[in-house]
C-alpha cells in the first residue's frame, strides 16, 4: 500500500497535467463551436442532424394533448411554496371587473363598469378553479356554433334573448345560431347586406371594432371574410357575454365606453360597429363618437344599426318618443359631419358612414366646424380621460391591403413615427421570429393545429410572432405592456393584426380559462422590480385553459425563478436551450397547466 502512494512531486505534476488537458479541451471545443457557427464545413449539417434526431424526445414528459388527467411532479425541481385552490365561487372571477367592487363607484358615464383593480392587500393569491365538468372547447369552426354548458353554466341569455336568436340551450351544450337583436336572419345575412357597401373581399378591411358585442356573432362570422374583430362588452347582468365569445373562439375583452379612453392606438381599425349596443351616442356632447373617430383609420367605416335609426317605424317597440329619438339622430348626424364622416348608406335600421381619407384637410377648412384635441401623443391612452375633441391623425403612407400588409413595412415605420424602429429592424425581426416559431413547432407539434385557437402574446413587440403564426384556425391577442420602451401597438394594427395595451401588474380584462396558448418574450425581465412575479404568473394561470400551454423566452436566471414558482401552481415545465446553443443566456421555458377542477363538496369539507 505504501509503495503505491505518490510523492508530492508526482501529485503536482499530475495536477498540472490535468489543468493543461482541461484547458486544451476548452480551447478545442471553443474553436469547434466557432467553426460550426460560422457555417464552414459540416458544422451546420451536424447540428441539424442532432436537432432532427432529438425532435421526438425533446420533451418526453410534457403532454400537450388534452387528456384531463393529473401528472407527476419532477422531483429534481423543488419549490418552497404551493399555491392552494381558491373557493369554487371564484371560478369566473374577473379581478378588475369584480361586480361587488363595482358597486362602490359612480354609475354616471358607466364609470362603475370600467376597470377597478383590487389593492395589493385584496388580491387573491390562489389558483382559480375550473368548474366541475369543465372540458376542452370544441375545435374551430364547430366552437363558433357550440359551447359546452359546463364551461359557462349560465342560462340567463337563453331566456332574455330567446326571441332574438342569440343562444339556445340544447342538452349539455349551448348552440349559437348566429342571430342578433338587429340581424334576426343571422349574422351572415346581415354581413352580406353590409358587403353591398363595404369592400370585404379585396383585403381593404382587416381589423374591426364591435362595441357592445353581445356574444360576438358579428365578429365570429366576419372571420369567414378574413376580418379580425376586437369585440368588447361590459360585465353586466348578461353574465357571460364575453365569456361565451371566447369559448366560441372569437377575440373579445371585457370593456365599456365610459370615462377613460379605449386601450387601442389611434387609427387602429378599418371598421367600427354598433348593433343596438345601448351606447348613448349623444351624451356628454357625443364624446363616445369622438373616441370611435380616434381609433378609426382615415377611410374607415362606422356602422350603426338600431336606436335611434329608423325611429319613425320603431319608436313604439323601443318605448321612446318620436321627439327624443329624432333629436338623438340629429345630434349623431351633426357630430358625424363635424368628424368628416360622410353618410354612404341608409336602409331600414342601418346607417353606414365613411371617415374621409383626407380628414385632416377636411377639418382644416375655414367653413368646417371642428374642435381639435391638443395632445402630445395620441397613442398614450392607458387610464387617460376620454375627451370630446377630434384627435389629429398624421398623413399616412399608403397602407397595403391584406395579406400583403402582414409583412410589408408599416407606415408608422416608413414615416419614422416609432422612434428606434427602422425598416431594417422590422425585416430582421421577421427573420428572427421565423426561426423562433420554427423551434416552437418542433417543441410542441400541436402549434398550428386545431388544438390552439385562442393565443396570447404577452409582450408582442412588433407582432412578428403573431404574423408568423397567422392562420385561419387561430388568432393572437397581441399585448403591448404600457411600460414597454417602444409603443409598437400601432405597428401591429397596421400589419392587419389585433391587440391591446395592458399593464401586467394588474389583471387582464377577460374571464378565467380563455386562452389555449400563452407566449411571452422577455416579459419577466421587463417587469423586474415593477411588481410581484407571482402575481403575473397567477394571472397567467387564471386566463389559461386547463391543459393549455405556455412558452416563455427570457434570461436563464429569470426563468429559473419562474420555474420554481410554477411548480407550486400545478404546471409541468421544461427548460430548453436557445436555438443558437447552450452558451446563450436566453432560454426557453415550456409549460403545460394540468387539468383539475373543484366542486362544492371539496369546499364544504
Amino acid at each position: 500500500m505504501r509503495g503505491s502512494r505518490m510523492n508530492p512531486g508526482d501529485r503536482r505534476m499530475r495536477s498540472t497535467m490535468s489543468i493543461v488537458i482541461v484547458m486544451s479541451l476548452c480551447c478545442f471545443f471553443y474553436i469547434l463551436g466557432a467553426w460550426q457557427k460560422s457555417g464552414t464545413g459540416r458544422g451546420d449539417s451536424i447540428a441539424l442532424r442532432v436537432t432532427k434526431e432529438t425532435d421526438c424526445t425533446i420533451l418526453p414528459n410534457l403532454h400537450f394533448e388534452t387528456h384531463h388527467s393529473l401528472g407527476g411532479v419532477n422531483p429534481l425541481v423543488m419549490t418552497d411554496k404551493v399555491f392552494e385552490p381558491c373557493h369554487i365561487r371564484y371560478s369566473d372571477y374577473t379581478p378588475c371587473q369584480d361586480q361587488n367592487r363595482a358597486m362602490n363607484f359612480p354609475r354616471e358615464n358607466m364609470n362603475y363598469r370600467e376597470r377597478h383593480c383590487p389593492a395589493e392587500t385584496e388580491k387573491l393569491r390562489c389558483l382559480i378553479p375550473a368548474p366541475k365538468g369543465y372540458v376542452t372547447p370544441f375545435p374551430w369552426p364547430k366552437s363558433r356554433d357550440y359551447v359546452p354548458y359546463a364551461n359557462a353554466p349560465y342560462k340567463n341569455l337563453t331566456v332574455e334573448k330567446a326571441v332574438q336568436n342569440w343562444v339556445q340551450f340544447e342538452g349539455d351544450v349551448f348552440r349559437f345560431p348566429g342571430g342578433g337583436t338587429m340581424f334576426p336572419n343571422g349574422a351572415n345575412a346581415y354581413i352580406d347586406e353590409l358587403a353591398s357597401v363595404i369592400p370585404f373581399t379585396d383585403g381593404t378591411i382587416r381589423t374591426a371594432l364591435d362595441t357592445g358585442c353581445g356574444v360576438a356573432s358579428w365578429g365570429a362570422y366576419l372571420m369567414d371574410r378574413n376580418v379580425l374583430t376586437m369585440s368588447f362588452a361590459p360585465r353586466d347582468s348578461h353574465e357571460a357575454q364575453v365569456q361565451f365569445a371566447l369559448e366560441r373562439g372569437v377575440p373579445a375583452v371585457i370593456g365599456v365606453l365610459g370615462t377613460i379612453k379605449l386601450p387601442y392606438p389611434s387609427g387602429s381599425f378599418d371598421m367600427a360597429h354598433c348593433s343596438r349596443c345601448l351606447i348613448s351616442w349623444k351624451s356628454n356632447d357625443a364624446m363616445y363618437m369622438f373616441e370611435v373617430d380616434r381609433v378609426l383609420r382615415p377611410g374607415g367605416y362606422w356602422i350603426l344599426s338600431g336606436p335611434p335609426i329608423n325611429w319613425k317605424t320603431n319608436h313604439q317597440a323601443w318605448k321612446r318618443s318620436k321627439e327624443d329619438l329624432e333629436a338623438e339622430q340629429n345630434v349623431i348626424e351633426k357630430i358625424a359631419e363635424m368628424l368628416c364622416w360622410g353618410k354612404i348608406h341608409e336602409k331600414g335600421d342601418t346607417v353606414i358612414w365613411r371617415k374621409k381619407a383626407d380628414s385632416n384637410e377636411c377639418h382644416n377648412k375655414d367653413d368646417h366646424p371642428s374642435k381639435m384635441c391638443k395632445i402630445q401623443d395620441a397613442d398614450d391612452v392607458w387610464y387617460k380621460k376620454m375627451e370630446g375633441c377630434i384627435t389629429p391623425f398624421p398623413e399616412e403612407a399608403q397602407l397595403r391591403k391584406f395579406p400583403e400588409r402582414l409583412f410589408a413595412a408599416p407606415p408608422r415605420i416608413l414615416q419614422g413615427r416609432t422612434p428606434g424602429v427602422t425598416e431594417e429592424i422590422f425585416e430582421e425581426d421577421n427573420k428572427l421570429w421565423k426561426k423562433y416559431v420554427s423551434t416552437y413547432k418542433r417543441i410542441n407539434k400541436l402549434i398550428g393545429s386545431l388544438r390552439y385557437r385562442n393565443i396570447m402574446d404577452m409582450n408582442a413587440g412588433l407582432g412578428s410572432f403573431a404574423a408568423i403564426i397567422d392562420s385561419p384556425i387561430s388568432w393572437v391577442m397581441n399585448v403591448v405592456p404600457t411600460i414597454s420602451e417602444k409603443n409598437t401597438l400601432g405597428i401591429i394594427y397596421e400589419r392587419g393584426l389585433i391587440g391591446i395595451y395592458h399593464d401586467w401588474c394588474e389583471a387582464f380584462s377577460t374571464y378565467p380559462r380563455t386562452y389555449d396558448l400563452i407566449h411571452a418574450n422577455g416579459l419577466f425581465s421587463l417587469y423586474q422590480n415593477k411588481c410581484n412575479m407571482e402575481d403575473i404568473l397567477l394571472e397567467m394561470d387564471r386566463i389559461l385553459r386547463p391543459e393549455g400551454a405556455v412558452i416563455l423566452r427570457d434570461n436563464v436566471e429569470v426563468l429559473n425563478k419562474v420555474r420554481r414558482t410554477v411548480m407550486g401552481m400545478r404546471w409541468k415545465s421544461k427548460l430548453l436551450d436557445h436555438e443558437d446553443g447552450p452558451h446563450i443566456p436566453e432560454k426557453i421555458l415550456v409549460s403545460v397547466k394540468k387539468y383539475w377542477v373543484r366542486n362544492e363538496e371539496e369546499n364544504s369539507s
Side-chain angles (χ1 to χ4, degrees):
M1 291 293 290
R2 289 182 182 177
S4 65
R5 293 179 182 173
M6 293 183 291
N7 60 43
D10 292 335
R11 282 198 297 271
R12 282 195 297 273
M13 183 176 294
R14 181 160 294 189
S15 176
T16 303
M17 288 179 66
S18 299
I19 293 171
V20 171
I21 290 169
V22 170
M23 291 181 65
S24 299
L25 287 171
C26 288
C27 291
F28 170 75
F29 285 116
Y30 177 82
I31 294 169
L32 177 63
W35 174 65
Q36 289 181 350
K37 188 167 177 61
S38 70
T40 307
R42 294 179 53 83
D44 285 348
S45 63
I46 293 170
L48 183 62
R49 180 182 173 189
V50 170
T51 302
K52 186 178 291 185
E53 289 176 351
T54 56
D55 272 357
C56 296
T57 58
I58 191 167
L59 296 171
N61 298 321
L62 279 186
H63 302 284
F64 296 101
E65 299 87 347
T66 59
H67 46 74
H68 295 190
S69 63
L70 298 179
V73 176
N74 186 343
L76 299 179
V77 181
M78 302 300 292
T79 178
D80 296 328
K81 185 173 183 179
V82 174
F83 294 88
E84 297 297 328
C86 305
H87 193 281
I88 190 64
R89 67 173 174 269
Y90 293 108
S91 63
D92 289 321
Y93 181 54
T94 53
C96 294
Q97 281 92 6
D98 179 63
Q99 290 170 300
N100 294 327
R101 187 181 301 106
M103 294 300 104
N104 298 323
F105 293 90
R107 290 178 173 262
E108 184 182 3
N109 297 332
M110 297 293 284
N111 178 277
Y112 75 117
R113 294 293 186 201
E114 293 183 304
R115 288 176 58 84
H116 301 290
C117 300
E120 282 294 314
T121 54
E122 297 175 342
K123 287 183 178 179
L124 290 182
R125 290 189 168 91
C126 51
L127 304 177
I128 301 296
K132 185 178 180 180
Y134 178 88
V135 295
T136 302
F138 299 115
W140 184 267
K142 184 178 179 180
S143 65
R144 184 186 66 186
D145 303 326
Y146 296 96
V147 165
Y149 169 76
N151 291 11
Y154 302 106
K155 297 181 182 179
N156 292 358
L157 285 175
T158 65
V159 178
E160 294 184 29
K161 303 294 181 180
V163 298
Q164 295 165 12
N165 225 19
W166 279 27
V167 56
Q168 298 170 357
F169 181 59
E170 299 179 355
D172 58 354
V173 300
F174 290 109
R175 186 170 73 87
F176 296 83
T181 308
M182 300 312 301
F183 32 93
N185 297 321
N188 251 340
Y190 176 72
I191 293 169
D192 282 340
E193 181 182 336
L194 301 179
S196 66
V197 180
I198 300 173
F200 287 128
T201 58
D202 67 353
T204 300
I205 305 299
R206 169 61 178 174
T207 58
L209 180 70
D210 193 9
T211 57
C213 65
V215 295
S217 288
W218 189 69
Y221 282 87
L222 273 174
M223 285 183 163
D224 291 341
R225 325 265 174 148
N226 213 15
V227 175
L228 274 177
T229 305
M230 176 67 77
S231 300
F232 72 84
R235 176 159 189 167
D236 59 11
S237 58
H238 299 329
E239 194 65 33
Q241 292 180 91
V242 168
Q243 190 175 22
F244 276 139
L246 287 152
E247 284 292 320
R248 298 175 73 185
V250 182
V253 293
I254 302 171
V256 65
L257 277 166
T259 66
I260 59 175
K261 294 182 178 182
L262 295 173
Y264 314 112
S266 299
S268 300
F269 298 98
D270 303 316
M271 177 171 60
H273 176 253
C274 162
S275 172
R276 199 168 188 185
C277 58
L278 303 181
I279 294 170
S280 178
W281 295 108
K282 72 172 184 178
S283 63
N284 300 307
D285 297 323
M287 182 171 66
Y288 299 145
M289 287 183 67
F290 286 102
E291 181 64 0
V292 169
D293 180 74
R294 183 187 70 80
V295 299
L296 192 62
R297 192 182 309 287
Y301 299 84
W302 188 53
I303 304 151
L304 176 61
S305 61
I309 307 303
N310 202 13
W311 53 269
K312 292 180 182 178
T313 303
N314 296 326
H315 70 96
Q316 288 182 327
W318 294 336
K319 298 179 181 179
R320 291 177 61 183
S321 70
K322 285 184 177 182
E323 294 75 18
D324 179 41
L325 287 162
E326 183 180 18
E328 183 174 349
Q329 181 156 352
N330 287 339
V331 170
I332 291 173
E333 300 276 8
K334 182 179 178 181
I335 298 299
E337 182 183 359
M338 179 185 293
L339 294 171
C340 293
W341 296 356
K343 185 192 290 185
I344 60 173
H345 175 80
E346 182 169 6
K347 182 180 178 181
D349 300 337
T350 302
V351 177
I352 302 175
W353 284 269
R354 188 177 188 193
K355 182 176 179 177
K356 293 186 183 297
D358 57 348
S359 57
N360 283 341
E361 182 179 334
C362 171
H363 296 314
N364 291 330
K365 289 181 178 178
D366 293 336
D367 62 343
H368 191 271
S370 63
K371 45 182 180 178
M372 306 299 290
C373 300
K374 296 178 181 179
I375 52 176
Q376 297 294 321
D377 183 359
D379 295 342
D380 181 17
V381 297
W382 186 246
Y383 284 125
K384 294 295 192 299
K385 288 288 184 183
M386 200 180 293
E387 299 177 272
C389 55
I390 300 169
T391 302
F393 194 78
E395 186 177 343
E396 188 180 77
Q398 186 63 40
L399 187 65
R400 303 277 188 91
K401 294 181 178 181
F402 197 85
E404 289 80 12
R405 70 194 258 193
L406 192 59
F407 290 103
R412 289 174 191 249
I413 293 178
L414 295 174
Q415 296 175 328
R417 286 162 47 205
T418 307
V421 182
T422 63
E423 195 171 352
E424 292 73 24
I425 288 173
F426 176 75
E427 296 296 336
E428 286 300 314
D429 195 67
N430 283 323
K431 291 177 184 176
L432 189 65
W433 282 101
K434 284 179 182 178
K435 180 172 78 170
Y436 288 172
V437 171
S438 177
T439 298
Y440 297 160
K441 288 183 176 180
R442 286 203 311 272
I443 293 169
N444 181 351
K445 297 184 187 302
L446 294 173
I447 295 175
S449 75
L450 292 171
R451 175 67 183 86
Y452 302 129
R453 171 67 181 172
N454 302 357
I455 301 174
M456 173 181 281
D457 192 355
M458 296 177 70
N459 187 18
L462 299 177
S464 297
F465 167 80
I468 305 301
I469 289 284
D470 184 61
S471 165
I473 60 175
S474 65
W475 57 271
V476 179
M477 179 69 76
N478 293 281
V479 182
V480 172
T482 56
I483 66 169
S484 294
E485 182 182 348
K486 297 180 179 66
N487 183 349
T488 55
L489 192 54
I491 290 172
I492 288 169
Y493 272 95
E494 288 179 342
R495 299 186 73 169
L497 303 167
I498 58 171
I500 194 167
Y501 292 116
H502 184 64
D503 182 355
W504 287 110
C505 291
E506 300 179 357
F508 194 70
S509 293
T510 191
Y511 282 83
R513 304 172 301 281
T514 46
Y515 287 90
D516 304 300
L517 173 66
I518 296 178
H519 173 260
N521 173 40
L523 182 78
F524 290 96
S525 289
L526 177 67
Y527 274 92
Q528 279 193 108
N529 306 317
K530 299 291 192 303
C531 51
N532 192 329
M533 181 181 71
E534 284 185 3
D535 289 343
I536 299 176
L537 287 167
L538 286 169
E539 176 61 8
M540 291 171 67
D541 183 82
R542 185 184 75 88
I543 68 178
L544 183 66
R545 297 194 196 280
E547 299 186 310
V550 176
I551 302 175
L552 304 178
R553 181 181 287 270
D554 216 315
N555 183 279
V556 64
E557 293 181 0
V558 172
L559 290 184
N560 274 325
K561 293 178 183 176
V562 170
R563 193 181 184 197
R564 286 196 295 270
T565 301
V566 301
M567 288 307 297
M569 291 171 50
R570 306 191 187 197
W571 291 14
K572 294 178 68 176
S573 300
K574 287 279 186 179
L575 191 64
L576 307 176
D577 285 327
H578 189 275
E579 289 84 352
D580 294 336
H583 299 298
I584 307 297
E586 183 178 278
K587 305 294 180 186
I588 305 167
L589 183 69
V590 293
S591 303
V592 177
K593 177 180 174 178
K594 297 176 186 177
Y595 177 88
W596 63 279
V597 300
R598 194 163 196 184
N599 55 41
E600 294 287 355
E601 289 76 18
E602 289 178 290
N603 283 295
S604 61
S605 62

